[in-house]
Amino acid sequence: RHPSRDRVTMSTGWLRGVVKAVPSGDQVIIAALCAPGAPPGVEKTLTLAGIVAPRLGRRDGSSADEAFARESRASLRRALAGRRVSFRVEYAVESINREFGVVFTESGENVSVMQVSKGLAKVKAPGGNDRAVANAEELERRELEAREAEAGMWSKDPAVLAAASQRTVVQAMKAEDVLGALRMKPTPAVVDYVLNGGTVKLVLTGDGATRDQNITLSIGGISVPSVGRKGAKNEDGTDQGPEPFALAAKHFTEMALLHRDVRVILEGLDRRNNFIGSILPADVNDTSFVNVGEELCRLGLAQVHEASAAALIGGAATLRAAEKVAKDQQLRLWHGYVPPISSLNAMTTKVFDARVVEVISGDCISVVPTSGPDTSERRINLSSIRAPRISNSRDDKSNHEPWAIEAKEFLISRLIGRTVSINMDYARKIGEGANERTLHFATVKLPNNKTGGDPLNVSEMLLMRGFASCIRHRSEEERAADYDELIAAEKKGVESKKGMHNKNREAPVHRTNDFSINAHKAKTFLPFLQRAGKCVAMVDYVAAGHKIRVSIPKEGAVIAFCLAGVRCPQRDEPYAAEALAYTRSRILQREVEIVVDSVDRTGIFLGTLFADNGRLNLGEELLRAGLGSLHPAFPVDRVHYGRALADIEAAAREVKAGLWKDWTPPIVEVDEPEDSSTGELVRVGVTECVAGGRFFVQKLDGSKIQEVTDKLAELYDGVDTSKPHDGVFEPKPGDAVAAKFTGDDKWARAIVTAKRVGDKPVSVFYCDFGNVEDIGFNRLRPLKDPTVTTVAIPPMANFCALSFLKIPRIDSDYGYAAASHVGKLISGQAFHARIDARDRFPTTKPWEIDAQPAFSLTLFPDANARAAESVALDLLRAGFARVHRRAAARRLDRDVLDAMVDAQESARRARVGQWEYGDVDSDDDAS
């Protein structure tokens, strides 16, 4: 034997040990003293010499208990179980394999004398195998005193004798019925047998229908090594023995609980219908009681069992702390244990404050740190909880999980715009290959502004309201720092039957009418919104600084909404990210007011948006911050708030705010009315002629065309156009791109004019030259450099027409000839142009066949040329134009008009051009 397992003193014949069990009123099992957690040592079963107690019946029911048998055993059990004693073997009877002796408590009391004095044992006369004991006289005297006092079995009270002799037949109850009667109630019991370190058999001793019921209880929250099953075999045919440390764990539990009075709290049933619960001391003031689950974990004889730990009344925090002690010291089960590497080792900042900008779902938010080296927006998932999932599909048949909307709306109401504290807990990788991404999980706490107390754990708030459930982690899995508090919060939600835990209440059904997916449907809804005036709405999504999706709860509608007249940069344009962040930070998932003016042909509603109780006009604020500009087609003077927006934009330009930092004024600034002439001459170069006498020009003085061309060549000349762009690139109509013109194989800026269809060429408009082309997709690249975007440098091709002339359309008899002649006269030539008129609201799509020119010009070969030397007169003399007399009469001097009419009449008389077969007008050119 190992010397540390038998700490006995043999010198005087007296031994010391701990009473492990009390089988009857005159017999004890004494174990040798050993260190906690050590394997079982020497044990001795000792029958008290000189006395005999009433006999207990057999477990199989073949014999009944004698009167006072239970009382006798209970008295001895309460006096000795788990206590240290001194004992000596008086004699042994080999025929029955028993040892008889005397036992003294630590206070020096003779246990045999104690039992006889209480009338719970009789003095046994010597004879046969029984020998006389040294204190026989004292025992006889105490028995006589007990008889005289009518104690115990010597009582003459019929009621006492009847109670002691009563044989109650116990009908076994179903486990579910016992649990229903005693769930979560501290109930008196006696530990009758220890199956293994974590499982015991108990006899319930409380009053009521459950009295004397035998139950099997697993101590909640722990898992212990198996002692093996009788007759079980291993795969190789050998007997299945106990697992390592199984016997040590069982011995510890026996020494701590066997035959003790305890209180038990039943918390649930396992799959074998065994109870799961906690064992408490019978006396709440008993400081010597050992919490077996906690001590087994501390000694390395058990592990925390996650499934049952979740049901513990006080949580599993103490168990985890005890287990951590064993892990740190590598005790027993944890020998050679190496702690897992934290998934957050690469993260430098694990605790920080952040402002919540979006709630993605009931367990995921998007935040922006308020300080630190990295203040970029990031997603944070709430640790160790799962909220009902929200469907990402916009299909009417695709439903959210029950209570998903309520969970999300709860977080929106509590968190949006608030500053919270973030404590990172762990990270998880999901997906595979290109779809792999890392999710970060954290504990999020909200300041308690109402009471000024401890911060509120957002996850606990969700769990208590039944808007989420707690994840049951595996043993070594990382989890929330306050995981046990989350388990307790979930219990409160279950007990209060809130949210998803209320089986008697169906989850609310959310029905909305989505007008954002059908343009025709949106137009039918316009009158309702216009009559409503200001509508209260909730911003669900921000697509760009000026483009959002809102829900209108009163109408049960969802619409796409754009700020009327204001356009923000989008996608890869400069300041697009800033504009998007600005709008998100101020209105996303907040209540706003919208005033709808109109709806465009794609079903997007246009209007004004007010936030912050009407104090913030989003359109004005975007313009003021330089994060947006007025749409070129916005009728400033036709809308009551248009001039205010124009003034705000002008002020932003003056201070070079935002996207106006490197702003270059447009080709011409004309402030005169549409029908006035500036008389100013501008040097221009004609880059492209189109039908009907219309053409595109570039301003030559201060032109940046060479700068743009050189920059594009620097960026893209090394690009292999035999392959498409390597990356995500799917330009939409209206997007600016870099295109390699097939005419000269040079890169130029272009605007996509039509949606790409399969592998067919893409239609583009070269915005610096005015020509169009259907070009292969491989010859297109994204225009990402901020110095050459159409915001930094506006398109340099200006759509123009010759002033005061009527030129045949391309589809008329002389349209093609006229277009050819105009091309010969001006294409590729430089002129001095007089600006006679300018459209205040020029088209944004000059490539369309019915687009109206932005400028009306008179072209002269040089700055000193007379009016009679303009290109217009050359065209009139060739017979491919007529004078627009009504317009010319209002704007031109009489002698200039006469010269133009004379040129037209000379062509008529000569029957040239369109005059070949006589007059082409039905009036006298008065119109």
Side-chain angles (χ1 to χ4, degrees):
R1 293 194 300 264
H2 194 285
S4 65
R5 298 176 185 172
D6 296 326
R7 298 177 185 173
V8 295
T9 305
M10 303 293 294
S11 59
T12 64
W14 288 94
L15 305 176
R16 290 177 59 82
V18 178
V19 176
K20 171 184 170 181
V22 180
S24 66
D26 58 3
Q27 191 177 63
V28 294
I29 299 175
I30 304 173
L33 299 172
C34 61
V42 176
E43 294 181 359
K44 187 178 290 294
T45 300
L46 190 69
T47 303
L48 299 178
I51 68 171
V52 59
R55 292 289 171 254
L56 291 166
R58 293 183 179 274
R59 290 181 181 271
D60 59 9
S62 59
S63 63
D65 297 339
E66 294 181 0
F68 290 96
R70 292 195 177 194
E71 289 80 355
S72 177
R73 180 193 183 200
S75 172
L76 191 61
R77 178 176 55 76
R78 293 191 179 101
L80 297 185
R83 306 289 178 85
R84 293 192 178 192
V85 294
S86 300
F87 67 97
R88 182 176 65 188
V89 178
E90 298 288 342
Y91 61 92
V93 180
E94 294 182 1
S95 61
I96 57 175
N97 195 25
R98 280 194 183 182
E99 294 180 314
F100 295 82
V102 60
V103 178
F104 285 86
T105 65
E106 284 190 300
S107 62
E109 184 179 8
N110 187 313
V111 174
S112 300
V113 173
M114 177 191 72
Q115 286 289 85
V116 171
S117 298
K118 292 179 179 180
L120 298 176
K122 296 179 180 180
V123 176
K124 186 166 52 173
N129 291 329
D130 297 319
R131 300 181 184 179
V133 294
N135 63 338
E137 293 181 1
E138 181 183 7
L139 290 175
E140 290 174 353
R141 187 180 72 254
R142 291 298 179 94
E143 182 181 61
L144 182 60
E145 292 174 356
R147 286 173 182 269
E148 293 173 351
E150 298 182 356
M153 65 179 68
W154 309 117
S155 174
K156 296 180 181 179
D157 187 343
V160 174
L161 294 175
S165 303
Q166 185 178 6
R167 300 294 176 261
T168 304
V169 179
V170 180
Q171 296 293 332
M173 296 175 61
K174 291 183 179 180
E176 294 82 356
D177 297 336
V178 175
L179 182 64
L182 302 179
R183 182 191 287 273
M184 308 306 287
K185 298 177 182 177
T187 303
V190 175
V191 179
D192 191 44
Y193 188 72
V194 175
L195 295 171
N196 59 46
T199 307
V200 298
K201 287 188 174 182
L202 303 106
V203 178
L204 302 180
T205 58
D207 296 330
T210 60
R211 182 177 179 84
D212 293 330
Q213 290 291 322
N214 290 276
I215 66 171
T216 300
L217 177 80
S218 294
I219 299 173
I222 65 170
S223 173
V224 299
S226 171
V227 295
R229 290 178 299 158
K230 187 176 182 180
K233 301 288 185 180
N234 295 316
E235 293 180 358
D236 58 2
T238 58
D239 291 337
Q240 189 181 77
E243 294 179 352
F245 305 106
L247 297 180
K250 179 182 179 182
H251 178 67
F252 180 87
T253 304
E254 287 176 332
M255 299 304 296
L257 295 179
L258 186 58
H259 292 169
R260 307 284 186 90
D261 286 321
V262 295
R263 287 178 302 145
V264 61
I265 297 180
L266 305 182
E267 297 167 349
L269 290 170
D270 65 15
R271 59 187 178 182
R272 297 187 181 89
N273 248 18
N274 293 330
F275 293 89
I276 299 174
S278 302
I279 298 178
L280 307 176
D283 182 2
V284 294
N285 298 317
D286 184 1
T287 57
S288 64
F289 182 80
V290 175
N291 186 317
V292 172
E294 186 177 331
E295 286 302 314
L296 286 172
C297 288
R298 182 174 286 108
L299 294 170
L301 294 173
Q303 304 179 40
V304 175
H305 186 252
E306 296 300 335
S308 59
L312 293 179
I313 296 175
T318 55
L319 291 180
R320 295 187 207 286
E323 184 185 58
K324 186 176 185 304
V325 172
K327 286 179 177 179
D328 292 343
Q329 299 178 12
Q330 297 188 354
L331 297 178
R332 297 177 179 88
L333 291 175
W334 304 109
H335 178 70
Y337 169 76
V338 178
I341 300 174
S342 172
S343 57
L344 296 176
N345 281 350
M347 185 174 290
T348 55
T349 305
K350 298 179 182 178
V351 180
F352 56 92
D353 291 339
R355 182 170 49 83
V356 180
V357 296
E358 183 181 5
V359 174
I360 289 91
S361 67
D363 56 12
C364 182
I365 61 177
S366 185
V367 302
V368 174
T370 56
S371 61
D374 182 9
T375 57
S376 60
E377 186 175 336
R378 64 193 69 176
R379 282 194 177 188
I380 298 294
N381 296 273
L382 300 180
S383 299
S384 299
I385 71 167
R386 182 192 184 278
R389 291 290 173 255
I390 291 181
S391 171
N392 292 324
S393 173
R394 298 179 69 181
D395 185 357
D396 292 339
K397 297 181 181 179
S398 179
N399 297 322
H400 309 302
E401 291 184 4
W403 302 101
I405 298 297
E406 286 69 28
K408 181 177 179 180
E409 288 179 347
F410 174 78
L411 288 189
I412 290 173
S413 66
R414 295 295 196 277
L415 299 185
I416 284 296
R418 300 282 301 276
T419 298
V420 297
S421 62
I422 308 288
N423 191 334
M424 302 304 301
D425 291 318
Y426 57 93
R428 293 277 187 275
K429 287 187 178 181
I430 63 171
E432 296 180 356
N435 297 323
E436 184 179 271
R437 56 196 178 102
T438 301
L439 303 181
H440 292 93
F441 294 81
T443 298
V444 178
K445 292 190 177 180
L446 183 68
N448 190 348
N449 294 331
K450 287 187 178 180
T451 64
D454 294 335
L456 305 174
N457 188 323
V458 174
S459 298
E460 290 184 30
M461 296 165 66
L462 286 165
L463 292 167
M464 286 191 290
R465 289 164 175 81
F467 292 150
S469 58
C470 201
I471 296 172
R472 295 326 190 239
H473 293 282
R474 291 187 294 272
S475 176
E476 290 299 301
E477 204 169 43
E478 294 176 291
R479 65 197 67 200
D482 301 332
Y483 183 70
D484 294 304
E485 285 77 1
L486 300 185
I487 294 290
E490 184 182 41
K491 280 187 182 178
K492 292 180 181 178
V494 173
E495 291 167 359
S496 59
K497 296 183 179 180
K498 290 186 177 180
M500 64 175 68
H501 306 302
N502 189 345
K503 305 305 180 183
N504 297 323
R505 177 189 173 192
E506 294 291 333
V509 178
H510 300 270
R511 293 186 176 91
T512 57
N513 203 348
D514 195 344
F515 292 95
S516 65
I517 58 178
N518 187 302
H520 176 72
K521 192 176 178 181
K523 291 175 182 178
T524 63
F525 191 52
L526 176 63
F528 296 95
L529 295 179
Q530 289 178 324
R531 285 196 297 270
K534 279 188 177 181
C535 296
V536 177
M538 173 67 73
V539 179
D540 296 329
Y541 177 72
V542 178
H546 64 292
K547 187 182 298 183
I548 61 177
R549 186 172 71 244
V550 302
S551 57
I552 306 174
K554 185 178 179 181
E555 305 292 342
V558 176
I559 65 172
F561 183 85
C562 272
L563 298 175
V566 177
R567 183 194 180 279
C568 295
Q570 300 183 68
R571 289 184 285 275
D572 296 326
E573 296 178 352
Y575 290 95
E578 289 83 349
L580 180 65
Y582 183 93
T583 301
R584 281 168 55 86
S585 66
R586 280 157 179 78
I587 67 169
L588 181 58
Q589 295 180 333
R590 289 176 170 85
E591 195 174 83
V592 298
E593 291 179 326
I594 59 172
V595 180
V596 174
D597 298 328
S598 60
V599 62
D600 68 12
R601 62 183 180 181
T602 64
I604 299 177
F605 292 87
L606 307 176
T608 308
L609 184 146
F610 300 93
D612 196 15
N613 294 321
R615 292 189 289 269
L616 183 144
N617 183 316
L618 182 62
E620 292 182 357
E621 294 305 315
L622 286 168
L623 292 173
R624 188 172 287 114
L627 298 176
S629 59
L630 285 181
H631 195 283
F634 181 63
V636 174
D637 295 324
R638 301 179 196 172
V639 181
H640 71 278
Y641 55 84
R643 181 48 56 189
L645 294 180
D647 292 343
I648 293 172
E649 182 190 51
R653 288 180 179 178
E654 288 293 327
V655 298
K656 300 288 185 180
L659 56 86
W660 305 113
K661 178 181 178 182
D662 300 317
W663 176 74
T664 302
I667 181 173
V668 179
E669 292 290 344
V670 180
D671 296 327
E672 293 78 8
E674 186 173 338
D675 60 350
S676 66
S677 174
T678 64
E680 176 188 4
L681 292 181
V682 180
R683 288 186 67 245
V684 298
V686 179
T687 57
E688 181 73 10
C689 291
V690 294
R694 291 173 290 183
F695 51 92
F696 288 88
V697 302
Q698 292 176 351
K699 182 180 178 182
L700 298 181
D701 295 333
S703 173
K704 292 189 175 182
I705 187 63
Q706 192 60 46
E707 176 186 337
V708 171
T709 302
D710 292 344
K711 185 63 176 179
L712 293 176
E714 176 188 338
L715 293 171
Y716 301 105
D717 269 356
V719 171
D720 182 6
T721 55
S722 64
K723 301 177 182 178
H725 175 66
D726 184 16
V728 179
F729 177 52
E730 191 60 42
K732 299 177 182 178
D735 286 356
V737 297
K740 194 171 187 180
F741 181 48
T742 56
D744 57 8
D745 265 353
K746 291 185 178 180
W747 291 92
R749 299 190 302 174
I751 296 174
V752 177
T753 62
K755 186 177 180 180
R756 179 189 175 202
V757 180
D759 294 331
K760 294 182 179 180
V762 182
S763 298
V764 298
F765 167 74
Y766 292 96
C767 58
D768 293 327
F769 299 93
N771 56 314
V772 295
E773 182 181 23
D774 289 340
I775 189 172
F777 184 68
N778 292 354
R779 299 175 73 89
L780 299 182
R781 292 294 183 270
L783 193 64
K784 292 186 176 181
D785 193 292
T787 63
V788 291
T789 62
T790 55
V791 175
I793 302 177
M796 288 178 277
N798 298 274
F799 193 28
C800 305
L802 292 172
S803 304
F804 314 121
L805 295 183
K806 292 181 178 181
I807 300 174
R809 294 173 56 89
I810 192 66
D811 55 357
S812 64
D813 290 341
Y814 290 90
Y816 182 77
S820 299
H821 193 77
V822 171
K824 291 178 182 178
L825 285 176
I826 66 174
S827 183
Q829 304 295 318
F831 296 94
H832 283 76
R834 184 185 68 208
I835 303 172
D836 297 309
R838 175 177 182 262
D839 191 345
R840 280 193 174 275
F841 311 107
T843 179
T844 58
K845 299 179 179 179
W847 56 84
E848 293 184 342
I849 193 168
D850 57 349
Q852 295 300 312
F855 299 95
S856 294
L857 307 179
T858 300
L859 300 179
F860 298 98
D862 59 63
N864 299 320
R866 294 175 293 106
E869 298 175 355
S870 70
V871 170
L873 268 68
D874 293 337
L875 198 57
L876 288 168
R877 293 189 189 102
F880 290 115
R882 292 180 294 150
V883 179
H884 194 309
R885 292 193 179 187
R886 182 173 296 173
R890 293 197 308 265
R891 304 282 301 279
L892 297 179
D893 294 337
R894 185 65 190 179
D895 56 340
V896 176
L897 176 58
D898 290 344
M900 294 178 67
V901 173
D902 289 345
Q904 175 182 296
E905 290 305 314
S906 66
R908 187 203 301 263
R909 290 192 296 271
R911 303 294 185 185
V912 295
Q914 63 184 339
W915 308 107
E916 181 179 2
Y917 299 106
D919 292 348
V920 295
D921 47 350
S922 58
D923 52 20
D924 59 353
D925 284 339
S927 61

